[in-house]
């Protein structure tokens, strides 16, 4: 219940004034009661009744039972009119009766607000929604649907080890220590422990029912399938809620079941996403075999639609790192550094460049991974073999904003507002000559990116160097805070040739059996921990990023990418791709 923001026109003068029982300038208990009710001051309103305790409890409960419904009460000669404005803006009026007792105070009864209310009744509000509106993928397959769930709660009386034993068939890793901490913090209240899908509830319901201090209730939720869950599920659920809000119906009733007002819900169209459950499932299958936090994001370069966004359980514990986690991108950022140098004309693919085991540039010593030394090689070879030392040296000829601007042309560092999707791409600073520039050139220092951001970078490369605008809801417009010019087409062609060489004979050659695949590996050093592993690439109409936290090299990410790309579910995107 919210305070009414305006006084309705034509509100009657209180009965006691009209009856002449007091002078026009007096303020009777009835006046004070009406004013307090219309101000939402329940304590002050209750004080003007013959039973302040009962009135106070009833009015306080009204907040919980009617939510954001507002109330305005007027009186005229012993009759009242209550105007209830529900959240959708529709109004319901009810007629009640107001009498006074000792000292002119309002005789307390719920009938003051409606003659349909008995002494033990209250008013309730409920949204009426078309809960069965589905979320479907790009092939019109059901992606998320309204599903009954059993919510399990516990108080401090519950034996949590008994709970763990009871739910082991459904939740083998139930954390009793975490549950105990939550219950301690709740004091005497109950704490929600977990929710169970119907197939799991059936396995454990009987065992839970025998444990004191444990209770269950039935609810409904919009859920995806276990095998196709996504870090985007929460955002898609919020978008779905917003669509239902536009056509919501409602019921205002007494707690005894008498309907005071009602409106049927309107029609809501299904929510159609750009995702492909086949590709999403392939990503999830590949990830579920990895114990370290890991994620895969895939985007269609031709449409900008997110095809898949997946992460494993270890990543789930960190939130949504696939879409919003920021990590040093390591050598995957050489895509940007090389593009900037090619665009500036300071290096060309066939130019001979040095790739020593280590080099000192502007006071910063940069080594190659495991100190490999290629000597003098063509630039395209240095890229394919991921020479840190080469990248450090070519970065010296760049201007302070070159890396930042080139990254933005590929979507990295650009902020997008897309219905149904919360994302962060990354951040690339401007750097003058010195250690910061050298570190940025190899994806370290202050450069950070999300798996989503690097997938978008690859999609933009595959889109001819023109920044792809990402989306996840079909037909909905995405906006961005930047609109950069595309890369030079010649630069894009040269870059993609180097990415292909990375797969055919470079650091990702274990994937050389995948026709048309081009990509870039990345190992990113982390202070005080194992290095992160990356692989980004494009094949057919699919651009993707694979990330594994603490992998210690790029090889696990390359292997994980192979499991994903070789899954038959991707044939729609990779079929017919030339070598």
């Amino acid at each position: 219940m919210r305070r009414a923001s305006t006084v309705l026109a034509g509100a009657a003068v209180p009965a006691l004034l009209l009856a002449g029982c007091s002078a026009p300038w007096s303020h009777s208990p009835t006046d004070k009661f009406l004013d307090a009710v219309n101000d939402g001051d329940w304590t002050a309103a209750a004080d003007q009744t013959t039973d302040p305790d009962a009135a106070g409890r009833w009015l306080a409960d009204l907040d919980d039972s009617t939510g954001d419904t507002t109330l305005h009460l007027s009186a005229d000669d012993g009759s009242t009119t209550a105007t209830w404005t529900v959240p959708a803006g529709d109004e319901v009026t009810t007629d009640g009766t107001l009498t006074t007792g000792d000292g002119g105070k309002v005789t307390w009864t719920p009938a003051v607000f409606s003659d349909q209310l008995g002494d033990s009744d209250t008013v309730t509000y409920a949204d009426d929604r078309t809960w069965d509106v589905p979320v479907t993928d790009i092939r019109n397959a059901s992606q998320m649907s309204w599903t009954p769930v059993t919510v399990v709660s516990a108080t401090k009386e519950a034996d949590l080890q008994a709970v763990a034993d009871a739910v082991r068939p459904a939740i083998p890793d139930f954390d009793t220590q975490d549950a105990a901490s939550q219950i301690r913090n709740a004091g005497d209240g109950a704490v929600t422990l977990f929710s169970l899908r119907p197939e799991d509830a059936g396995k454990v319901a009987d065992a839970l029912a025998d444990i004191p201090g444990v209770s269950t209730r039935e609810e409904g939720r919009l859920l995806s399938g276990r095998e196709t869950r996504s870090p985007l599920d929460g955002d898609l659920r919020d978008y779905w809620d917003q669509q239902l809000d536009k056509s919501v119906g409602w019921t205002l009733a007494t707690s005894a079941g008498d309907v005071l007002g009602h409106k049927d819900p309107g029609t809501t169209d299904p929510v159609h996403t750009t995702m492909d459950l086949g590709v999403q499932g392939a990503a999830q299958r590949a990830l579920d075999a990895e114990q370290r936090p890991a994620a895969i994001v895939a985007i269609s370069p031709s449409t900008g639609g997110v095809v898949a966004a997946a992460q494993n359980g270890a990543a789930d514990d960190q939130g949504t790192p696939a879409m919003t986690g920021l990590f040093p991108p390591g050598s995957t950022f050489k895509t940007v550094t090389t593009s900037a140098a090619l665009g500036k004309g300071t290096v060309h693919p066939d130019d001979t460049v040095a790739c020593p085991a280590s080099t000192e540039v502007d006071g910063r010593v940069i080594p190659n991974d495991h100190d490999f030394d290629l000597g003098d090689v063509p630039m395209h070879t240095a890229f394919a073999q991921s020479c840190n030392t080469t990248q450090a040296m070519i970065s010296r000829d760049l201007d302070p904003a070159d890396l930042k601007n080139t990254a933005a042309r590929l979507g990295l560092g650009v902020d997008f507002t897309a219905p149904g999707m919360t994302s962060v791409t990354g951040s690339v600073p401007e750097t003058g000559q010195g250690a910061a520039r050298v570190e940025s050139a190899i994806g370290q220092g202050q450069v950070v990116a999300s798996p989503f951001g690097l997938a978008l970078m690859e999609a933009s490369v595959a889109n001819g160097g023109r920044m792809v605008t990402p989306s996840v809801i079909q037909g909905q417009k995405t906006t961005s805070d930047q609109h950069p010019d595309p890369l030079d087409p010649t630069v894009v062609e040269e870059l993609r040739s180097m990415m292909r060489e990375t797969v055919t004979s470079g650091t990702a050659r274990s994937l050389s059996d995948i026709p048309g695949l081009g990509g870039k590996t990345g190992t990113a050093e982390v202070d005080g921990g194992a290095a992160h592993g990356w692989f980004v690439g494009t094949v057919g109409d699919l651009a993707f990023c694979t990330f594994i936290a603490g992998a210690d090299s790029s090889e696990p990410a390359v292997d994980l990418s192979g499991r994903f790309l070789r899954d038959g579910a991707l044939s729609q995107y990779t079929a017919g791709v030339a070598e």
Side-chain angles (χ1 to χ4, degrees):
M1 175 65 63
R2 294 187 294 112
R3 170 184 172 179
S5 58
T6 58
V7 177
L8 297 183
V13 178
L16 292 181
L17 289 180
L18 291 176
C21 295
S22 58
W25 54 84
S26 71
H27 207 49
S28 70
T30 298
D31 297 329
K32 294 177 182 178
F33 174 78
L34 294 171
D35 288 346
V37 167
N38 293 333
D39 285 341
D41 187 343
W42 302 145
T43 300
D47 285 344
Q48 302 305 317
T49 70
T50 56
D51 191 345
D53 290 341
R57 288 192 300 271
W58 193 92
L59 290 167
D61 289 344
L62 198 63
D63 281 333
D64 294 330
S65 63
T66 59
D68 288 336
T69 300
T70 62
L71 168 65
H72 183 272
L73 184 67
S74 60
D76 184 6
D77 198 21
S79 297
T80 63
T81 299
T83 302
W84 311 81
T85 304
V86 299
D90 301 309
E91 293 183 351
V92 176
T93 58
T94 56
D95 296 326
T97 303
L98 185 151
T99 61
T100 58
D102 293 342
K105 291 196 171 185
V106 173
T107 303
W108 171 247
T109 170
V112 168
F113 298 94
S114 172
D115 289 330
Q116 292 178 263
L117 291 167
D119 289 343
S120 60
D121 296 338
T122 189
V123 177
T124 64
Y125 168 83
D127 286 339
D128 294 336
R129 298 168 179 258
T130 48
W131 299 109
D132 59 348
V133 173
V135 176
T136 65
D137 79 342
I138 198 167
R139 304 188 192 287
N140 213 33
S142 178
Q143 182 174 341
M144 302 181 75
S145 59
W146 189 248
T147 305
V149 297
T150 300
V151 181
V152 180
S153 301
T155 63
K156 60 185 179 182
E157 287 77 23
D159 181 343
L160 294 179
Q161 187 55 55
V163 173
D165 293 340
V167 301
R168 188 165 288 114
I171 308 176
D173 56 352
F174 175 67
D175 190 336
T176 56
Q177 292 184 344
D178 180 64
S181 175
Q182 293 184 54
I183 290 173
R184 281 195 302 271
N185 292 336
D188 294 331
V191 170
T192 297
L193 299 180
F194 45 78
S195 300
L196 299 169
R197 295 171 185 256
E199 60 270 26
D200 290 331
K203 299 175 185 175
V204 303
D206 290 343
L208 284 172
D210 295 333
I211 303 175
V214 173
S215 61
T216 62
R217 67 180 186 275
E218 302 303 313
E219 292 184 0
R221 293 182 185 171
L222 186 73
L223 298 177
S224 60
R226 278 198 177 95
E227 295 76 18
T228 54
R229 68 186 187 277
S230 171
L232 285 172
D233 284 353
D235 290 329
L236 291 174
R237 190 176 296 113
D238 289 344
Y239 179 84
W240 176 84
D241 274 334
Q242 292 166 13
Q243 303 316 298
L244 265 60
D245 283 344
K246 295 176 182 178
S247 60
V248 66
W250 51 267
T251 299
L252 193 72
T254 71
S255 54
D258 294 325
V259 176
L260 304 176
H262 173 75
K263 180 180 178 180
D264 289 328
T267 301
T268 302
D269 293 331
V271 175
H272 299 290
T273 77
T274 63
M275 298 178 72
D276 186 316
L277 290 189
V279 180
Q280 179 71 21
Q284 198 62 59
R285 285 190 291 274
L287 287 163
D288 284 344
E290 175 59 53
Q291 298 301 310
R292 294 162 294 199
I296 294 174
V297 178
I299 296 174
S300 165
S302 65
T303 67
V306 174
V307 178
Q311 55 189 42
N312 62 4
D316 288 340
D317 292 339
Q318 300 175 1
T320 58
M323 301 300 297
T324 60
L326 292 176
F327 312 93
S331 292
T332 62
F333 193 74
K334 293 173 184 175
T335 301
V336 172
T337 305
T338 301
S339 296
L342 292 172
K344 203 171 185 66
T346 56
V347 71
H348 302 87
D350 294 327
D351 287 353
T352 299
V353 295
C355 178
S358 66
T359 187
E360 182 175 341
V361 179
D362 296 325
R364 174 73 156 87
V365 176
I366 299 294
N368 283 333
D369 193 26
H370 301 300
D371 295 321
F372 72 83
D373 186 342
L374 298 183
D376 293 338
V377 294
M379 177 63 205
H380 61 81
T381 301
F383 180 93
Q385 299 298 331
S386 202
C387 290
N388 291 337
T389 52
T390 304
Q391 295 287 319
M393 288 185 281
I394 67 173
S395 73
R396 297 187 76 252
D397 296 323
L398 300 177
D399 291 331
D402 282 346
L403 292 179
K404 180 182 179 69
N405 292 341
T406 302
R409 290 181 171 190
L410 300 176
L412 195 59
V414 178
D415 289 334
F416 296 94
T417 301
M421 178 170 65
T422 300
S423 66
V424 180
T425 60
S427 177
V428 181
E430 292 189 13
T431 52
Q433 278 198 8
R437 166 85 59 79
V438 174
E439 290 171 351
S440 292
I442 58 173
Q444 298 283 171
Q446 297 180 50
V447 175
V448 290
S450 68
F452 167 78
L454 292 187
L456 183 68
M457 177 184 76
E458 293 300 299
S460 298
V461 170
N463 192 41
R466 183 179 297 276
M467 184 184 79
V468 164
T469 301
S471 64
V472 74
I473 304 293
Q474 294 182 47
Q476 294 299 305
K477 184 178 180 180
T478 298
T479 59
S480 63
D481 67 341
Q482 299 180 53
H483 304 279
D485 293 331
L487 294 179
D488 184 295
T490 301
V491 169
V492 176
E493 182 179 352
E494 293 170 343
L495 179 66
R496 296 197 71 181
S497 177
M498 295 184 196
M499 292 171 62
R500 179 62 182 147
E501 184 178 343
T502 299
V503 174
T504 57
S505 60
T507 54
R509 54 187 173 275
S510 64
L511 303 179
S512 60
D513 61 300
I514 300 174
L517 174 64
K520 185 70 191 77
T521 56
T523 302
E525 300 298 327
V526 180
D527 289 340
H532 298 323
W534 299 87
F535 183 66
V536 298
T538 65
V539 57
D541 191 31
L542 199 71
F544 65 92
C545 171
T546 301
F547 168 76
I548 303 179
D552 212 28
S553 78
S554 63
E555 290 183 12
V558 172
D559 293 342
L560 178 55
S561 298
R563 294 198 297 273
F564 168 58
L565 294 171
R566 294 184 183 105
D567 193 296
L570 273 69
S571 60
Q572 178 75 20
Y573 297 86
T574 60
V577 175
E579 289 286 352

